[in-house]
Amino acid sequence: MEPFQLNDTTHTLHLKKWESAYPGLTAGFTTRWGKESTASSQTCNLGLHVGDNPNHVIKNRQGLADQQGFLFETWTCADQIHGNKVTKITAGQIGAGRDSLESVVADTDGLYTTERGVFLTSFYADCVPLFFLDPISKAIGLAHAGWKGTVSLIAREMVEAFSREYQSNPEDIYVAIGPSIGGCCYEVDERVMQQVRMATSQWEQAVQSSSTSGHFMLDLRHLNQLIVKEAGVLASHISTTHYCTSCRNDLFFSHRKDQGKAGRMASFIGWKEQTT
Ligand SMILES: [Zn+2]
């Protein structure tokens, strides 16, 4: 069954199984469509770095935070440089990057925390959104994994950070792999493949031949599954979407399909403040 369930009212996808199992947890992914009452236009671009009017983007972000039950002041995001660094968010960094590119968590593609009342976000238009949860320590995290982040093992970095910072046992960690370009649509060349072959000894499971000579069809989601399993996460704890952002351009922005002129969707995760 598809782990990301679409809410037709809010136009957001939710990791229903996680949200039902762990009350107070919100985890999901936006689509290209916004909530009518708050979206500046029909589309819901959440990235400040793609040349859109910043006021519209901030309004869309405020709308999303509000809709998901978080204060916009707690929206926290990174600059995403296609690296493999993951950063622990402590009380002093909450709200970083919410309304300007200058205030983002720098040099970072992954964010994690155990703080409650923090809305962690990360931006996408084809790259792979990774979600992490350790129900024992209550650690939550998001990682942005394009091909570069994937082959530099950002998924493993997050599992190791949970173990180091929160004494998480990898076997307790849950991972979800969200909407992103699928092996059906992601053609890469030998330059990328050289790195893919070094990422995991099982890389062949994630690659198929292409009709173009010297090119390959790469399944980044499958590659990330292999990497988190090697990091000690149980196969039964990994949920992977079926949504391809390029095939489903009606629902998602796609960097490749929109020929580089795409808006950005957001992955989000957070523990709501306790009300009692
Ligand atoms: Zn596809």
Side-chain angles (χ1 to χ4, degrees), residues 182 184-185 244 246-247:
C184 39
C185 295
C244 166
S246 177
C247 287

Coordinates of all heavy atoms in Angstrom, one line a residue, residues 182 184-185 244 246-247, ligand 1:
G182 N 11.4 8.6 -10.3 CA 11.6 7.2 -10.3 C 12.5 6.6 -11.3 O 13.0 7.3 -12.2
C184 N 11.8 4.9 -13.5 CA 11.2 5.0 -14.8 C 11.6 6.2 -15.7 O 11.6 6.2 -16.9 CB 9.6 5.0 -14.6 SG 9.2 6.1 -13.2
C185 N 12.0 7.2 -15.0 CA 12.2 8.5 -15.6 C 13.6 9.1 -15.4 O 13.9 10.2 -16.0 CB 11.2 9.6 -15.1 SG 9.5 9.2 -15.6
C244 N 6.1 8.9 -8.6 CA 7.2 9.4 -9.4 C 6.8 10.9 -9.7 O 5.8 11.1 -10.3 CB 7.5 8.6 -10.7 SG 8.5 9.5 -11.8
S246 N 8.1 12.9 -11.9 CA 8.1 13.2 -13.3 C 6.8 12.6 -14.0 O 6.1 13.3 -14.8 CB 9.3 12.7 -13.9 OG 9.3 12.9 -15.3
C247 N 6.5 11.3 -13.7 CA 5.3 10.7 -14.2 C 4.0 11.5 -13.7 O 3.1 11.6 -14.5 CB 5.1 9.3 -13.7 SG 6.2 8.1 -14.5
Ligands
ZN1 ZN 8.4 8.2 -13.8

